[in-house]
Amino acid sequence: MSHHCNEYGRIHSRRDFLNKLGAGLGVAALSGLVNPLSGMSDMGALPRVLSNGVGGIAPRAKRVIYMFQSGGPSQYELFSHKPLLRELHGQELPASVLNGQRLTGMTSGQGALPLAGSAFDFKQYGQCGKWLSDQVPHMASVADDICWVNSMYTDAINHDPAVMFIQTGSQFPGRPSIGAWASYGLGSMNENFPAFVVLLSKGDNGGAQPLYPRSWGSAFLPSQHQGVQFRAGADPVLYLNNPGGITTAARRNQLDRLKELQELQRAESLDPEIDARIAQYEMAFRMQASVPDLMDEKEPDYIYDMYGPDSRIPGTYAANCLLARRLAEKDVRFIQLYHRGWDAHGQCPANIRGLTNNTDQASAALLKDLKQRGLLEDTLLVWGGEFGRTAYSQGKLTPENYGRDHHPRAYNIWMAGGGVKPGLVYGKSDDFGYNITENPVHIHDFQATLLHLLGIDHEAMTFKHQGRRFRLTDVHGHVVHDLLA
């Protein structure tokens, strides 16, 4: 009979392996639902220090709500006022601005790159004087509560690598997501809910680019740190409810007997994963009560009115923003919203009108709602996509219509609460909005800053995998202290 040694030096036979495999398959459906309780540690994991994070940094934020706008929102139609593009509408993008930069395959063969001025009007808002489009009046109403970053840039030029990059720190699949890193580094604040929850807007948003679960996965981190997707409907978390004919009392009895057996196994094998497995079962049992209560919670009419009429329709972006506030009240550590459809290669003005109609009011309402409840100061809000759009038109250009290709070299995101400076307008791009001229912020800098606000030193939080210590920011990234309050 063959044997092998695990990393703790214990010898196991093939029979041991097969016996454990049977138990492991039963756990697999639940393994993504939970975090181990804060007193437990994972194989190879750093010890968690819930008060100061990892690296001894005083946290500014306890939780994050990340409103990810998948597809690449056009900065020219939302946040980046470039009147020169209107003046030069239809003229060729100067070669000195392009400067040999990489283009996608969708426009690299275009005979011309005509500049496209925005179809929308801009004006300044708030004491901060931020220029904003008439398509985001609700965000404009809270301009002085927002930290505006006008100088984001990324290394990726196509959707999937760009989404992977900003969500995991690598353009290639196989790295843990930013929410999984936060869960791993800090653990859960509420034993009745996962530390990392994911909410996707329902519908296809006009055949939008796909999103894959690896965007919120745990990769090589222990699986309890992956994002748990909450869905609209009667079964918000898949495989959570008891099978037909199994009562709550029977399930409780089953878990008690299973715990006794696993504790016997732990005494024999000293395997620390058994503690995590027991905690996973217990968390899933508690979620059977806590999740339906959360999803069934009713709001007063004035709250629904604040978020907009879609907030009454489960699964919409507005309803997910409202649900994110409830999850924040339950002290869920990382809440990730995904809204697709921003990929406007054609019909850009119509695309923006539709998307802002779905997102502007609810995004601003979430900020206002957190603020009125005293939650904004320790909740970090993030709004933005994986890259921006080009100053030139993709396809046919008319005075009323145009498309915009992917542009990684300069785009916009915003943050609020959680220790960032309100009313700060940070960074600049050139008059074409094509290249950054002041205070560039790379994806890794953004990630380092987000972790810093949670009390995590991005260089100190690592996980050893295949002989190398990995971190969210790889070997890059600097905290942007100018953004901190």
Side-chain angles (χ1 to χ4, degrees):
M1 180 178 294
S2 63
H3 296 78
H4 75 278
C5 290
N6 68 6
E7 64 185 283
Y8 292 90
R10 295 190 299 273
I11 296 176
H12 296 291
S13 68
R14 184 182 289 112
R15 183 178 293 109
D16 293 330
F17 171 76
L18 293 173
N19 286 339
K20 290 184 178 182
L21 177 63
L25 291 175
V27 176
L30 296 177
S31 63
L33 298 181
V34 300
N35 288 21
L37 302 180
S38 60
M40 298 177 182
S41 61
D42 306 308
M43 272 189 200
L46 290 170
R48 296 193 177 85
V49 186
L50 295 183
S51 59
N52 292 319
V54 178
I57 300 169
R60 311 276 190 106
K62 292 170 60 178
R63 65 189 74 80
V64 175
I65 302 176
Y66 192 162
M67 299 170 280
F68 189 74
Q69 311 299 317
S70 178
S74 173
Q75 68 274 26
Y76 298 105
E77 277 61 56
L78 300 173
F79 311 127
S80 188
H81 179 48
K82 300 297 177 182
L84 182 64
L85 297 185
R86 276 190 169 180
E87 295 176 22
L88 303 181
H89 189 83
Q91 297 186 32
E92 185 73 6
L93 175 70
S96 60
V97 175
L98 180 60
N99 197 27
Q101 292 179 33
R102 179 186 178 195
L103 303 179
T104 75
M106 292 169 283
T107 54
S108 61
Q110 232 176 245
L113 300 176
L115 295 168
S118 176
F120 306 121
D121 294 326
F122 279 71
K123 69 178 184 178
Q124 289 178 287
Y125 291 88
Q127 295 296 314
C128 66
K130 172 61 179 167
W131 287 92
L132 294 168
S133 156
D134 58 15
Q135 296 303 295
V136 287
H138 296 279
M139 293 186 199
S141 71
V142 291
D144 285 334
D145 291 309
I146 289 174
C147 178
W148 304 93
V149 182
N150 299 332
S151 51
M152 287 290 298
Y153 72 102
T154 180
D155 299 344
I157 199 170
N158 290 311
H159 290 290
D160 194 55
V163 171
M164 286 293 97
F165 196 44
I166 196 166
Q167 295 287 285
T168 74
S170 171
Q171 295 186 51
F172 303 100
R175 299 285 184 89
S177 60
I178 193 167
W181 278 114
S183 170
Y184 165 68
L186 296 173
S188 177
M189 296 186 288
N190 185 336
E191 64 178 15
N192 295 322
F193 287 93
F196 179 18
V197 171
V198 175
L199 305 171
L200 277 69
S201 302
K202 70 177 184 180
D204 65 2
N205 291 333
Q209 290 289 331
L211 284 169
Y212 302 104
R214 62 175 180 260
S215 299
W216 55 91
S218 58
F220 47 74
L221 292 179
S223 61
Q224 60 263 29
H225 302 300
Q226 71 185 34
V228 178
Q229 186 178 346
F230 281 24
R231 294 164 168 82
D235 194 14
V237 179
L238 297 182
Y239 314 118
L240 182 64
N241 293 334
N242 290 327
I246 302 298
T247 65
T248 299
R251 180 63 171 166
R252 178 68 266 170
N253 183 62
Q254 180 191 43
L255 290 179
D256 290 341
R257 302 292 79 76
L258 183 60
K259 181 178 179 180
E260 291 173 3
L261 292 172
Q262 289 178 328
E263 286 176 342
L264 289 173
Q265 184 183 11
R266 180 180 58 192
E268 176 187 345
S269 65
L270 302 177
D271 186 350
E273 285 295 313
I274 294 174
D275 286 331
R277 189 179 304 147
I278 293 170
Q280 289 169 9
Y281 280 125
E282 293 295 334
M283 166 69 92
F285 182 77
R286 291 191 297 272
M287 286 175 63
Q288 289 179 341
S290 62
V291 171
D293 287 349
L294 176 82
M295 304 298 283
D296 293 341
E297 186 176 330
K298 301 300 181 186
E299 302 282 345
D301 287 342
Y302 79 91
I303 292 294
Y304 290 118
D305 293 342
M306 178 190 297
Y307 284 83
D310 283 353
S311 64
R312 297 178 183 272
I313 305 172
T316 61
Y317 179 79
N320 284 347
C321 284
L322 181 50
L323 180 56
R325 190 221 75 210
R326 295 180 195 160
L327 289 164
E329 288 180 307
K330 301 296 185 183
D331 273 336
V332 172
R333 177 76 66 186
F334 203 101
I335 305 154
Q336 177 84 62
L337 280 69
Y338 288 98
H339 191 72
R340 302 184 302 148
W342 293 94
D343 190 24
H345 291 279
Q347 302 292 324
C348 187
N351 172 271
I352 291 294
R353 289 187 186 98
L355 268 295
T356 53
N357 184 61
N358 292 337
T359 61
D360 175 48
Q361 181 174 353
S363 300
L366 178 55
L367 188 158
K368 294 175 183 177
D369 202 3
L370 291 169
K371 187 176 181 179
Q372 72 182 5
R373 295 167 192 269
L375 289 168
L376 184 61
E377 62 186 38
D378 60 7
T379 302
L380 177 65
L381 288 182
V382 181
W383 192 103
E386 66 266 38
F387 44 49
R389 314 303 297 194
T390 54
Y392 59 80
S393 177
Q394 177 180 345
K396 186 177 181 181
L397 173 68
T398 71
E400 297 82 23
N401 193 37
Y402 47 87
R404 297 194 189 274
D405 200 3
H406 311 161
H407 185 60
R409 302 307 303 167
Y411 75 105
N412 301 58
I413 68 167
W414 62 256
M415 297 183 283
V420 296
K421 286 181 182 176
L424 175 66
V425 181
Y426 188 77
K428 291 182 181 179
S429 58
D430 61 28
D431 290 340
F432 296 88
Y434 210 86
N435 297 295
I436 295 169
T437 58
E438 183 179 302
N439 296 324
V441 179
H442 186 260
I443 294 297
H444 287 311
D445 301 331
F446 159 72
Q447 292 162 340
T449 305
L450 187 152
L451 291 180
H452 181 89
L453 290 164
L454 286 171
I456 298 173
D457 182 342
H458 73 105
E459 294 181 340
M461 186 174 65
T462 63
F463 190 93
K464 191 173 183 180
H465 173 63
Q466 294 184 340
R468 178 191 163 188
R469 293 198 176 275
F470 287 87
R471 69 185 208 219
L472 174 64
T473 52
D474 197 39
V475 295
H476 309 284
H478 301 280
V479 176
V480 186
H481 290 280
D482 290 345
L483 303 178
L484 307 184

